[in-house]
């Protein structure tokens, strides 16, 4: 199973691993994969579809899905910065 490992403090604290599942949108496969992941975690990303979160309230679930978005943005920015720094050092 694929996963996202947050590197920001909030992501590490609340969702240290976010499963990434496969399946065609609207298919039984994706429904089963999301349900299986949510049975043991509060948050899952369905590749090509988006996030699914489970909370005691709708607000709590929203916090988890927002956390996933924030954590993924941090990872993208960090990798972009690393790549730019690496490319710059190769040019010098």
């Amino acid at each position: 199973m694929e996963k996202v490992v947050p590197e920001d403090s909030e992501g590490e604290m609340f969702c240290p691993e976010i499963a990434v599942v496969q399946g065609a949108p609207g298919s039984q496969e994706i429904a089963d994969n999301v349900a299986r992941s949510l049975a043991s975690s509060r948050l899952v990303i369905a590749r090509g579809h988006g996030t699914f979160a489970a909370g005691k309230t709708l607000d709590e679930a929203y916090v988890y899905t927002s956390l996933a978005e924030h954590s993924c943005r941090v990872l993208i920015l960090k990798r972009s910065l690393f790549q730019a720094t690496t490319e710059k050092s190769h040019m010098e």
Side-chain angles (χ1 to χ4, degrees):
M1 172 176 29
E2 293 181 70
K3 62 184 173 184
V4 171
V5 179
E7 295 181 8
D8 60 296
S9 57
E10 293 85 1
E12 288 177 341
M13 185 183 313
F14 295 107
C15 292
E17 289 186 354
I18 305 169
V20 179
V21 299
Q22 305 279 351
S27 69
Q28 188 62 48
E29 176 188 21
I30 199 166
D32 292 342
N33 290 341
V34 167
R36 193 172 13 264
S37 289
L38 287 178
S40 60
S41 178
R42 296 174 251 194
L43 184 60
V44 62
I45 299 172
R47 181 175 296 285
H49 184 73
T51 58
F52 292 85
K56 294 176 184 169
T57 65
L58 184 58
D59 286 340
E60 185 180 334
Y62 176 75
V63 167
Y64 288 125
T65 200
S66 296
L67 176 73
E69 181 179 352
H70 174 77
S71 294
C72 288
R73 284 180 189 261
V74 168
L75 288 171
I76 289 168
L77 290 171
K78 183 177 179 182
R79 289 179 183 158
S80 295
L81 180 61
F82 176 76
Q83 182 179 7
T85 304
T86 303
E87 288 173 0
K88 184 178 178 186
S89 68
H90 282 82
M91 296 172 118
E92 296 175 349

